[in-house]
C-alpha cells in the first residue's frame, strides 16, 4: 500500500501499514503537507544538493536523501505548504544531472523531518550516516551521553543510513543532540534531530 511505501523507511512496510490502518495516514488530510518527495535521485546526491535544487520554490527547512534504495529518493521539508504545491506544479526538478519527479508526501503536516521532528523528546535521530556504520561505532559516539538504546534502521538487511538513540530523559537527549551537531563520520556530516516521540 502507499502508506507502506512512505513509512517503510521507519522500519519496514508492516509498520507503515499499521500506522496507515490506524488512521495516521488519512489524518494527514486535515492540513496541507509541508513535505515533498523527489525521485529518482542520483546515488551520491547530498542533502545540500537536494535542498539547493528546491530552494527556488521557497524556504527549505531541511532535505534528507534516503540512500541505499532503488530508486534513491529524498524528502524536502518546506516552511510553507504553498512551496510544496509550487514544486509539485513544476512536475520535475533538476537535481544534479537528472530530472527528479516531485510528489507531495502522504501523511500531511507531520511529515518526515517536519513538525514531529522539532519538539524535544528523550530520543534523537541521526541522519546521513555512512552505510558502512556499525552499531559499535554508534555506541562509542552515544554512550558518553548516556544513551540506553540504539535502533539502526535497516531494510532487507541493508542499513538505510539513519538511526535513533534514546536516553533516560529529555535533558540528556538535548545535550547529545547539541554535542553531536556537526559530527563527521567517514566523510559525511551527520544531521541530528529529535526523534518524533519519546520512548
Amino acid at each position: 500500500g502507499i502508506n507502506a511505501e512512505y513509512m517503510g523507511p521507519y522500519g519496514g512496510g508492516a509498520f507503515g501499514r499499521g500506522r496507515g490502518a490506524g488512521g495516521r495516514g488519512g489524518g494527514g488530510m486535515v492540513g496541507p503537507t509541508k513535505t515533498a518527495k523527489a525521485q529518482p535521485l542520483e546515488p551520491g546526491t547530498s542533502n545540500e544538493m537536494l535542498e539547493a535544487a528546491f530552494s527556488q520554490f521557497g524556504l527549505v527547512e531541511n532535505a534528507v536523501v534516503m540512500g541505499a534504495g532503488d530508486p534513491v529518493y529524498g524528502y524536502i521539508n518546506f516552511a510553507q505548504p504553498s512551496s510544496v504545491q509550487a514544486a509539485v506544479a513544476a512536475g520535475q526538478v533538476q537535481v544534479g544531472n537528472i530530472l527528479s519527479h516531485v510528489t507531495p508526501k502522504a501523511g500531511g503536516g507531520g511529515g518526515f523531518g517536519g513538525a514531529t521532528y522539532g519538539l524535544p523528546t528523550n530520543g534523537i535521530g541521526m541522519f546521513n550516516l555512512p552505510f558502512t556504520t556499525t552499531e559499535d561505532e554508534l555506541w562509542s559516539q552515544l554512550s558518553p551521553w548516556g544513551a540506553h538504546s540504539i535502533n539502526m534502521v535497516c531494510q532487507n538487511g541493508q542499513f538505510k543510513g539513519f538511526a535513533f538513540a534514546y536516553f533516560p530523559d529529555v535533558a540528556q537527549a538535548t545535550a547529545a543532540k547539541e554535542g553531536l551537531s556537526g559530527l563527521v563520520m567517514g566523510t559525511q556530516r551527520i544531521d541530528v534531530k529529535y526523534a518524533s516521540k519519546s520512548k
Side-chain angles (χ1 to χ4, degrees):
I2 189 165
N3 283 320
E5 176 192 350
Y6 285 107
M7 300 307 297
Y10 289 94
F15 184 55
R17 283 192 294 272
R19 286 179 69 152
R24 181 66 182 269
M29 300 302 176
V30 172
T33 181
K34 295 181 182 179
T35 305
K37 180 181 181 182
Q39 75 173 43
L41 298 174
E42 287 182 293
T45 299
S46 69
N47 295 349
E48 291 75 17
M49 286 171 59
L50 185 61
E51 181 175 334
F54 279 84
S55 61
Q56 60 182 301
F57 300 108
L59 178 62
V60 177
E61 293 187 342
N62 59 13
V64 182
V65 176
M66 309 298 286
D70 185 17
V72 176
Y73 61 96
Y75 291 129
I76 306 92
N77 302 298
F78 290 99
Q80 299 295 331
S82 58
S83 300
V84 175
Q85 295 164 11
V88 171
Q92 290 182 312
V93 175
Q94 184 88 22
V95 182
N97 296 315
I98 62 175
L99 283 171
S100 184
H101 184 65
V102 186
T103 55
K105 180 186 176 298
F112 184 89
T116 54
Y117 277 85
L119 299 176
T121 63
N122 76 332
I124 60 172
M126 301 175 69
F127 302 90
N128 200 38
L129 291 163
F131 298 131
T132 54
T133 302
T134 66
E135 190 169 348
D136 285 344
E137 287 176 315
L138 289 181
W139 275 114
S140 70
Q141 295 290 344
L142 292 163
S143 58
W145 302 100
H148 61 69
S149 68
I150 294 176
N151 176 26
M152 298 179 70
V153 180
C154 300
Q155 192 169 27
N156 300 324
Q158 173 70 46
F159 179 47
K160 297 286 289 181
F162 59 102
F164 296 93
Y166 293 91
F167 301 82
D169 55 45
V170 173
Q172 284 179 265
T174 299
K177 177 178 178 294
E178 294 175 355
L180 295 170
S181 179
L183 173 70
V184 175
M185 293 184 68
T187 59
Q188 296 175 205
R189 181 170 176 165
I190 309 307
D191 191 17
V192 185
K193 307 184 192 308
Y194 288 111
S196 58
K197 61 179 74 174
S198 293
K199 190 172 181 179

